[in-house]
Amino acid sequence: MLKKTAFLTLLALGVTAVVPQMAASKDRRGEQNEARAQMMAGKVKSIRSIENQILPRMADSEYIGPEFDPNALVYRLKFIRDGRVLFVDVDGRTGSILRQTR
């Protein structure tokens, strides 16, 4: 009985650890789908176009990846430099840098 209780407890802990990751993964897919839909509709530039413009400017940093805000039509590119996370917010319509953390 003790083994069964311990097993069920470990199983419950494993499920609670996996569920948030699954939700984050689902949100990420939704974000990617929205960015693609906006790009296909001609409302924003592709992420590749944005990256081609921004990455050379951030050559001294390691690129982590993008996020997309479908409400603002803004891409957020994330970088690491000297152990600090940097964000570059780019207008998805024009490719203009809106904000950059230093």
Side-chain angles (χ1 to χ4, degrees):
M1 182 67 169
L2 182 58
K3 287 182 182 180
K4 184 176 180 180
T5 303
F7 173 75
L8 291 175
T9 301
L10 289 174
L11 181 63
L13 289 173
V15 168
T16 58
V18 171
V19 170
Q21 291 174 357
M22 290 172 55
S25 176
K26 185 178 179 182
D27 290 345
R28 180 82 174 132
R29 281 193 304 270
E31 179 182 294
Q32 290 172 346
N33 289 339
E34 183 63 29
R36 180 171 167 69
Q38 295 288 347
M39 193 243 337
M40 296 299 285
K43 294 183 180 178
V44 298
K45 294 183 172 199
S46 73
I47 185 57
R48 296 298 167 241
S49 171
I50 299 291
E51 289 171 339
N52 288 339
Q53 177 184 337
I54 303 300
L55 293 182
R57 297 179 184 190
M58 302 294 290
D60 60 342
S61 304
E62 180 182 345
Y63 183 49
I64 300 171
E67 290 181 358
F68 180 70
D69 180 344
N71 296 319
L73 300 179
V74 170
Y75 289 101
R76 172 168 275 184
L77 280 61
K78 298 178 285 185
F79 298 87
I80 292 181
R81 181 188 314 141
D82 299 327
R84 292 189 52 184
V85 177
L86 307 171
F87 299 105
V88 178
D89 294 339
V90 180
D91 185 317
R93 296 168 290 232
T94 65
S96 299
I97 294 176
L98 301 172
R99 287 173 294 284
Q100 182 174 346
T101 61
R102 298 209 179 258

